[in-house]
Amino acid sequence: MKAVGLRQYLPIDDPAALLDLTLPDPAPPTGSDLLVRIQAVSVNPVDTKQRAPRPAQEDPPRILGYDAAGTVEAVGPDVVAFVPGDEVYYAGDVTRPGSNAQWHLVDERLVGRKPTTLDFADAAALPLTTLTAWELLFQRMPLQFDDRRHADQVLLVIGGAGGVGSIAIQLARHAGFTVVATASRASSVQWCRQMGAHHVVDHHQPLPPQLQALGIAQVQVALNLADTDRYWDVLGELLAPQGHVGLIVEPRDALRIGDPYKAKCIGIHWEFMFARAKFRTADMIEQHRILNRVASLVDAGELRSTRSTHLGLINAANLREAHRQLESGGTVGKLVLAGW
């Protein structure tokens, strides 16, 4: 099968950072695994972090890639939810070979049925970031997707134009929040508004006066999807007593737990989308359920794909370009590739 992988961990401008490979086809699926024919993938910051330069060698080559959409080719003997021919989408498992290959083995508990109204490329944009945002908002935090009691509350999304921010805006708006997103460039501001943000403020400028100008003195929920350290103090100021902050980026320094977080009883919530698969938790099936629910919402027209850019076929050159764009820090939405 065709695949894209690495033998060394190199800067992305090195042609050997990602290589076109021909590898043996996977073994038939066992247990609860599906064998999926990959039709499209998208690229996330985790891909670039996994590929980041370091002194290590991989033999056999390492295959990256997590977001995927494709067709089930075969099923293991314990599979109960899928049959060959089903169209699926998923974000996979960071502890196993990735999806940048023509065929991929994945546990069915991590897989959802692809939205019928999306093509494979638009579907591949969604899984990892959607699971991250959904788990953070509605499983790590004590919030409810269908609870209209959020209607008088404000949710701040720092990094609104990124992959997680793009879907978090949509989910939070659907849940009834007044959604304020941060962005700085004209293109990213426009993107946040397209995703459904009620207001967009500039994260290069102090946040409190911009919120005050909107008549917002405090926020009940904040998602810091960009820089945990940089926004730690200002979010402690902005968050309401008994509010909640969600984090996905590792801090560079130990967090200064204390006032005002302690005084306000602010809930601090971490999200790592791969935790369930990595630790084989008893509730792995939750990702299957979330992806199925999201597919229904997409097909009902209540959520939309966050794909912003289609970079062409799945090959090393195009994946290197996707990594380069992500590492530049200037992307909006999700980058996708489709076909071989």
Side-chain angles (χ1 to χ4, degrees), residues 311-326:
L311 290 173
L313 298 175
I314 306 169
N315 59 40
N318 290 339
L319 278 167
R320 286 196 300 271
E321 175 60 16
H323 281 232
R324 187 196 64 76
Q325 289 191 26
L326 277 177

Side-chain angles (χ1 to χ4, degrees), residues 198-246:
H198 295 88
H199 308 285
V200 183
V201 296
D202 186 348
H203 48 236
H204 290 317
Q205 304 299 323
L207 295 179
Q210 295 182 81
L211 292 173
Q212 290 164 10
L214 296 171
I216 299 170
Q218 59 186 14
V219 302
Q220 284 69 44
V221 181
L223 304 183
N224 184 352
L225 310 176
D227 189 328
T228 297
D229 297 83
R230 177 183 175 188
Y231 295 100
W232 185 255
D233 290 335
V234 71
L235 288 181
E237 174 187 347
L238 286 172
L239 280 159
Q242 301 184 89
H244 299 274
V245 59

Side-chain angles (χ1 to χ4, degrees), residues 147-155 175-178 218-220:
D147 191 343
R148 294 296 110 181
R149 288 177 295 178
H150 303 318
D152 60 349
Q153 297 185 336
V154 177
L155 186 146
F177 286 95
T178 295
Q218 59 186 14
V219 302
Q220 284 69 44

